[in-house]
Amino acid sequence: MAGCRIVNQGVLSALDSIESCRSSYEKAGQTLISSLTSAISDMEGAAKDAFQDLINNKIKEFVETSLPEAIKGMHTLLEENRKNFEEVDQKIADNISGG
């Protein structure tokens, strides 16, 4: 049983780290978009328009949405696996104890 608790605690710590990472990437993505937009603010012409379109669409979607969602997906997968492991461990314990 002690081994299960250690593994469970390790996974819980990892989940906290993953959530912190997701939040950090989301904030960094917002900062990146703001910085890129600021960097081209004085530009003019078609190149600026194309760059602004790239920033507002593909770059923004990736850094503010896609990457954080991918990290959230990994968090959810790991959490569900942790819960399943915990439930199976309890069922085995109940079967052993006759409960």
Side-chain angles (χ1 to χ4, degrees), residues 16-51:
D16 288 343
S17 295
I18 291 168
E19 177 55 29
S20 176
C21 179
R22 185 203 59 78
S23 179
S24 294
Y25 272 115
E26 191 171 34
K27 289 176 186 168
Q30 293 165 352
T31 300
L32 175 65
I33 296 304
S34 176
S35 296
L36 289 172
T37 301
S38 178
I40 66 167
S41 66
D42 291 335
M43 290 175 64
E44 295 178 6
K48 177 185 180 175
D49 295 342
F51 198 21

Side-chain angles (χ1 to χ4, degrees), residues 65-94:
T65 305
S66 298
L67 185 57
E69 284 180 4
I71 295 169
K72 182 179 179 181
M74 293 305 297
H75 180 279
T76 300
L77 177 65
L78 187 57
E79 172 61 9
E80 291 303 315
N81 283 324
R82 185 199 66 77
K83 286 179 186 177
N84 287 337
F85 179 78
E86 194 171 55
E87 290 170 8
V88 167
D89 182 56
Q90 187 59 53
K91 285 178 184 178
I92 292 169
D94 291 345

Side-chain angles (χ1 to χ4, degrees), residues 52-71:
Q52 189 67 59
D53 185 58
L54 177 66
I55 293 167
N56 290 341
N57 293 299
K58 292 182 180 182
I59 295 174
K60 185 174 185 170
E61 180 182 339
F62 177 74
V63 299
E64 290 186 2
T65 305
S66 298
L67 185 57
E69 284 180 4
I71 295 169

